[in-house]
């Protein structure tokens, strides 16, 4: 982990009054089942977007001090606004932060609901460009010249890290004011990027309450496809076991975005649990799956493979 990320996490530890220890990217627990589940390439075996990104370039020493000062100033502003939220952020905290940092440009629609495209296409980084997260973490904004907008990016990423390090329960609150809008805005993209990044190395919870699960499920069935994708990726990182993941994946059996549906099927298959076959069978039964012969064939092979795994207790 490079220097600027460590410094930011150290500052966050003081802000939220909880540990910011990072662990390896969440992976399914190793069991006899997973050892037997080395799947052929004909079933879902694509690597999921769970691993930590490649190390970012460290800014030259001359650039580090101003960047650190900017982060410290923004941390101070956040404390002035919401105090030290040791129990996690609330919807009111997020409202206060957005009232201070949200810019009109963030409400610009980048994908109208009437013209949906594969949501992952919106997240693709153009060749020769740095991702938004790379720019935030290095403090070198190649695409954003407005200082107030740069501050907003840093503030939102800071709050995303606070959300992750305090258990992740307040993630749905960050999107509460957007859940009814199917149009994807620039602000939706920004929140997706900072929250998806913050939750890569989050520590799993011992349990997720029914109320919290209901909030994540609302995101999973949101009109906004970017919110659905974010819920899919983050819930797996906080929920404690594959059985809970599989229950959650059932919220996606009617998913219309093919890219999201493929991630769901990959995640379900890679639990290496026989129970995952039932989830994939529900997806296979949908007309949209039958309309895609290659996808349907992969589902069939994956279901067959999972059904042959030994059940618990065998």
């Amino acid at each position: 982990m490079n220097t600027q990320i460590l410094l930011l996490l150290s500052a966050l530890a003081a802000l939220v009054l909880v540990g910011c220890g990072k662990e390896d990217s969440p992976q399914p627990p190793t069991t006899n089942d997973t050892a037997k589940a080395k799947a052929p390439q004909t079933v879902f075996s694509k690597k999921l977007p769970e691993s930590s990104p490649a190390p970012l370039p460290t800014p030259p020493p001359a650039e580090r001090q101003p960047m650190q000062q900017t982060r410290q100033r923004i941390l101070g502003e956040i404390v002035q606004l919401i105090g030290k939220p040791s129990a996690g952020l609330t919807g009111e905290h997020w409202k206060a932060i957005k009232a201070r940092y949200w810019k009109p440009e963030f409400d610009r629609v980048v994908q109208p609901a009437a013209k949906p495209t594969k949501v992952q296409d919106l997240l693709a980084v153009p060749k020769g460009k740095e991702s938004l997260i790379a720019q935030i973490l290095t403090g070198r904004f190649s695409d954003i010249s407005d200082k107030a907008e740069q501050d907003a990016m840093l503030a939102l990423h800071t709050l995303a890290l606070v959300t992750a390090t305090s258990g992740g329960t307040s993630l749905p609150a960050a999107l509460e004011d957007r859940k009814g809008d199917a149009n994807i805005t620039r602000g939706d993209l920004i929140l997706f990027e900072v929250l998806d990044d913050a939750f890569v190395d989050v520590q799993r919870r011992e349990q997720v309450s029914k109320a919290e699960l209901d909030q994540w499920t609302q995101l999973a069935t949101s009109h906004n496809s970017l919110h659905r994708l974010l819920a899919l990726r983050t819930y797996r990182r906080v929920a404690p076991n594959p059985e809970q993941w599989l229950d959650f994946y059932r919220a996606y059996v009617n998913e219309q975005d093919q890219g999201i549906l493929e991630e769901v099927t990959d995640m379900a298959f890679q639990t290496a649990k026989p129970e995952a076959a039932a989830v994939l069978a529900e997806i296979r039964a949908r007309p949209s799956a039958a309309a895609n012969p290659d996808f349907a064939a992969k589902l069939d092979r994956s279901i067959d493979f999972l059904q042959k795994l030994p059940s618990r207790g065998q």
Side-chain angles (χ1 to χ4, degrees), residues 45-77:
S45 57
K46 183 178 71 176
K47 182 178 175 62
L48 298 176
E50 290 266 321
S51 58
S52 298
L56 295 168
T58 301
E63 294 183 17
R64 291 180 203 164
Q65 188 171 1
M67 181 179 65
Q68 292 166 16
Q69 290 172 347
T70 299
R71 291 190 188 281
Q72 290 292 342
R73 171 176 59 78
I74 290 171
L75 282 168
E77 291 174 359

Side-chain angles (χ1 to χ4, degrees), residues 213 217 220-221 232 235 242-255 261 264-265 268 273-283 286:
L213 174 59
T217 302
T221 55
L232 175 64
Y235 183 79
E243 287 76 19
Q244 289 190 346
W245 305 346
L246 289 170
D247 286 342
F248 181 68
Y249 297 157
R250 284 193 165 87
Y252 289 88
V253 296
N254 295 315
E255 177 59 53
L261 194 60
V264 174
T265 52
K273 296 290 183 182
E275 298 87 344
V279 177
L280 296 187
E282 290 183 50
I283 294 172
R286 305 302 300 168

Side-chain angles (χ1 to χ4, degrees), residues 165-216:
T165 56
S166 56
T169 58
S170 62
L171 182 145
L175 307 170
E176 177 67 24
D177 59 339
R178 294 283 306 136
K179 67 180 182 181
D181 193 347
N183 296 309
I184 295 178
T185 65
R186 184 159 180 259
D188 290 328
L189 282 169
I190 292 167
L191 285 174
F192 178 93
E193 294 280 8
V194 297
L195 286 163
D196 189 43
D197 175 73
F199 275 72
V200 166
D201 291 322
V202 68
Q203 185 173 358
R204 281 207 180 98
R205 307 270 301 284
E206 291 185 5
Q207 63 179 8
V208 175
S209 71
K210 184 181 183 303
E212 292 164 355
L213 174 59
D214 288 345
Q215 289 180 323
W216 247 283

Side-chain angles (χ1 to χ4, degrees), residues 44-287:
F44 292 105
S45 57
K46 183 178 71 176
K47 182 178 175 62
L48 298 176
E50 290 266 321
S51 58
S52 298
L56 295 168
T58 301
E63 294 183 17
R64 291 180 203 164
Q65 188 171 1
M67 181 179 65
Q68 292 166 16
Q69 290 172 347
T70 299
R71 291 190 188 281
Q72 290 292 342
R73 171 176 59 78
I74 290 171
L75 282 168
E77 291 174 359
I78 290 172
V79 171
Q80 287 288 322
L81 282 169
I82 64 174
K84 294 185 177 182
S86 58
L89 300 172
T90 65
E92 292 304 312
H93 289 145
W94 276 103
K95 286 180 182 177
I97 292 298
K98 288 184 177 181
R100 168 67 177 81
Y101 291 104
W102 201 259
K103 304 302 174 187
E105 167 65 12
F106 296 172
D107 292 322
R108 176 173 59 84
V109 175
V110 296
Q111 180 179 292
K115 296 181 179 180
T117 60
K118 199 172 180 180
V119 69
Q120 282 92 339
D121 292 344
L122 289 175
L123 303 173
V125 180
K127 187 176 181 180
K129 295 278 189 179
E130 277 195 314
S131 69
L132 177 62
I133 286 300
Q135 294 180 53
I136 289 173
L137 291 175
T138 61
R140 298 197 298 266
F141 290 92
S142 57
D143 300 326
I144 305 164
S145 57
D146 184 84
K147 295 296 184 185
E149 197 168 323
Q150 293 177 9
D151 283 2
M153 301 286 184
L154 293 171
L156 292 172
H157 188 245
T158 298
L159 267 292
L161 288 169
V162 172
T163 298
T165 56
S166 56
T169 58
S170 62
L171 182 145
L175 307 170
E176 177 67 24
D177 59 339
R178 294 283 306 136
K179 67 180 182 181
D181 193 347
N183 296 309
I184 295 178
T185 65
R186 184 159 180 259
D188 290 328
L189 282 169
I190 292 167
L191 285 174
F192 178 93
E193 294 280 8
V194 297
L195 286 163
D196 189 43
D197 175 73
F199 275 72
V200 166
D201 291 322
V202 68
Q203 185 173 358
R204 281 207 180 98
R205 307 270 301 284
E206 291 185 5
Q207 63 179 8
V208 175
S209 71
K210 184 181 183 303
E212 292 164 355
L213 174 59
D214 288 345
Q215 289 180 323
W216 247 283
T217 302
Q218 287 179 28
L219 281 183
T221 55
S222 167
H223 294 297
N224 192 303
S225 57
L226 207 55
H227 294 179
R228 300 197 301 273
L229 181 60
L230 181 64
L232 175 64
R233 291 185 180 179
T234 54
Y235 183 79
R236 174 192 178 108
R237 295 166 181 167
V238 298
N241 58 63
E243 287 76 19
Q244 289 190 346
W245 305 346
L246 289 170
D247 286 342
F248 181 68
Y249 297 157
R250 284 193 165 87
Y252 289 88
V253 296
N254 295 315
E255 177 59 53
Q256 296 300 306
D257 185 291
Q258 185 64 26
I260 296 176
L261 194 60
E262 288 173 2
E263 282 202 24
V264 174
T265 52
D266 288 338
M267 289 181 177
F269 177 79
Q270 291 187 19
T271 63
K273 296 290 183 182
E275 298 87 344
V279 177
L280 296 187
E282 290 183 50
I283 294 172
R284 178 66 177 87
R286 305 302 300 168

